Amino acid sequence: MSFTLYGAPGTGSVCVETVLELIGAGFRFVPASPFEDGEEVARLKAVNPLLQVPALELPDGTIMTESAAILLYLTETYPDAGLAPAPGTAERAVFLRWLTFLAANFYSTYAISDKPGRFYEDPSGHDMLVRGALARRRALWQLMEAQVEPAPYLCGANMNVLDIYTAMMSHWSPGRAWFKANCPVLAQSVARTEAHDVVARVFARNFDD
Ligand SMILES: N[C@@H](CCC(=O)N[C@@H](CS)C(=O)NCC(=O)O)C(=O)O
């Protein structure tokens, strides 16, 4: 079984790259940054007209986009890897809630700050949009911080794809220093996830903070 992952260092493709390594699935990484002009964008456009990473080509040629959907698909396809709580359990409810929260509420704020021009044409308004997105991210992290009860991972005793998703996003704006100072409960759980040898290896080639 071989996958093709379209991504860029430090971006949303990191969680998929980490999970593919954890499950031991063969994959090819295709650099396809949405932030570079030229060949990489052309490659990305061919698989995701929205010009976003990650995109994953499945072994049968099916293209998947949307990070949370890809993570769920991989947990279903490789159940023995144990990277999601079992359906019907309380841990599963917590897992689905926060995975969707991060994808729908948190990740979507980068759609604004990555390219504010698509929300408001006049460049004089872009700073305001970027600042608003940043404030929203801080508020969302703090909401999650107040609600989760790691034990010691975010949904219990085992690390799953939600832990990896959260750890990846903790490297993004508002940044690791802010995250550690303002979300100590989450940060402690993230530190445990990042101590996993596979996670540590993949994150080391994607993040320098
Ligand atoms: N909803 C998408 C969001 C993906 C996304 O925004 N990726 C960023 C990189 S981390 C991107 O491609 N930004 C460029 C853009 O939005 O045009 C997902 O969950 O996969």
Side-chain angles (χ1 to χ4, degrees):
M1 244 195 174
S2 189
F3 293 87
T4 304
L5 174 60
Y6 294 81
T11 69
S13 54
V14 175
C15 59
V16 181
E17 187 181 343
T18 308
V19 171
L20 287 168
E21 294 245 358
L22 277 167
I23 61 188
F27 73 97
R28 184 169 69 97
F29 182 84
V30 175
S33 172
F35 306 110
E36 317 260 335
D37 285 333
E39 219 178 279
E40 293 202 18
V41 165
R43 268 186 221 137
L44 184 57
K45 200 170 190 174
V47 288
N48 186 1
L50 206 50
L51 278 178
Q52 290 183 335
V53 289
L56 185 68
E57 186 176 339
L58 308 184
D60 70 358
T62 303
I63 300 291
M64 282 194 81
T65 63
E66 301 305 326
S67 52
I70 293 171
L71 294 178
L72 286 172
Y73 172 85
L74 291 173
T75 66
E76 288 169 5
T77 310
Y78 295 87
D80 292 349
L83 287 171
T89 60
E91 289 80 12
R92 180 77 174 189
V94 173
F95 168 79
L96 290 173
R97 175 187 178 190
W98 293 111
L99 191 72
T100 306
F101 172 88
L102 287 177
N105 287 305
F106 188 82
Y107 207 161
S108 59
T109 65
Y110 296 92
I112 301 168
S113 51
D114 282 355
K115 294 178 187 169
R118 67 186 149 196
F119 288 89
Y120 189 66
E121 242 174 64
D122 181 350
S124 71
H126 291 180
D127 265 8
M128 191 184 64
L129 283 174
V130 170
R131 273 189 281 118
L134 174 63
R136 177 75 174 160
R137 283 199 280 276
R138 288 182 169 144
L140 291 167
W141 270 142
Q142 285 182 307
L143 187 155
M144 186 169 171
E145 168 78 5
Q147 303 262 316
V148 294
E149 291 174 8
Y153 293 103
L154 295 175
C155 339
N158 301 310
M159 183 181 81
N160 64 46
V161 297
L162 173 65
D163 295 289
I164 294 160
Y165 205 43
T166 306
M168 172 187 79
M169 289 179 180
S170 75
H171 286 268
W172 299 347
S173 153
R176 287 282 273 196
W178 183 93
F179 183 78
K180 283 181 186 165
N182 293 277
C183 304
V185 173
L186 285 170
Q188 201 177 6
S189 191
V190 160
R192 185 177 289 265
T193 294
E194 292 185 345
H196 186 289
D197 55 346
V198 174
V199 179
R201 193 175 68 234
V202 178
F203 277 36
R205 62 179 183 242
N206 278 284
F207 301 114
D208 52 19
D209 55 349

